[in-house]
Amino acid sequence: MRKDRRAAPYYVYALKDPRSNPVLPFYIGKGTGNRAWEHTINVDDTAKGRRIKEILDSGYEVVTTKLADDLSEEQALKLEAELIASFGTEATGGFQRWPEKSEQVS
């Protein structure tokens, strides 16, 4: 039986900084349609937006990865909250910035 995508149109995604190795997430969100990619089209002045601007200004593209798909809104909200609780945010010490090459200790 084929799943009706309209019944479960949500997904959970990560925005990742390609300047780090390995590529590290800096934002977890939930959405439908093109939501995950809208952040790079309409860059705002939040910490997330400033990070996106830094990435774009340095000649890179933000890596957008769907972590889970075909979710109900309730499932997406729960998974998003669990991932944020597990990894934290930059403000709470999670999703730390990867040091620039000049800052890395050899």
Side-chain angles (χ1 to χ4, degrees):
M1 181 193 305
R2 190 165 187 197
K3 193 173 192 176
D4 183 357
R5 291 190 56 81
R6 290 172 293 173
Y10 288 86
Y11 57 86
V12 174
Y13 62 94
L15 301 180
K16 300 178 184 179
D17 190 336
R19 300 172 297 172
S20 60
N21 185 11
V23 175
L24 297 173
F26 62 90
Y27 182 82
I28 300 289
K30 70 132 178 101
T32 61
N34 293 322
R35 175 65 181 141
W37 293 270
E38 289 174 359
H39 298 288
T40 58
I41 296 167
N42 300 309
V43 180
D44 58 27
D45 195 34
T46 63
K48 169 188 46 82
R50 289 188 297 273
R51 179 79 171 263
I52 290 169
K53 185 172 179 352
E54 286 176 11
I55 293 167
L56 297 175
D57 287 351
S58 65
Y60 291 90
E61 294 290 327
V62 174
V63 175
T64 303
T65 304
K66 280 189 179 181
L67 303 174
D69 203 358
D70 294 326
L71 303 173
S72 68
E73 183 174 23
E74 182 179 339
Q75 290 170 318
L77 284 167
K78 183 176 186 215
L79 180 56
E80 176 191 37
E82 288 174 357
L83 290 170
I84 292 169
S86 294
F87 294 110
T89 64
E90 285 188 59
T92 62
F95 290 141
Q96 292 293 319
R97 286 183 175 271
W98 196 261
E100 296 294 326
K101 289 185 181 193
S102 61
E103 298 173 351
Q104 292 179 5
V105 178
S106 300

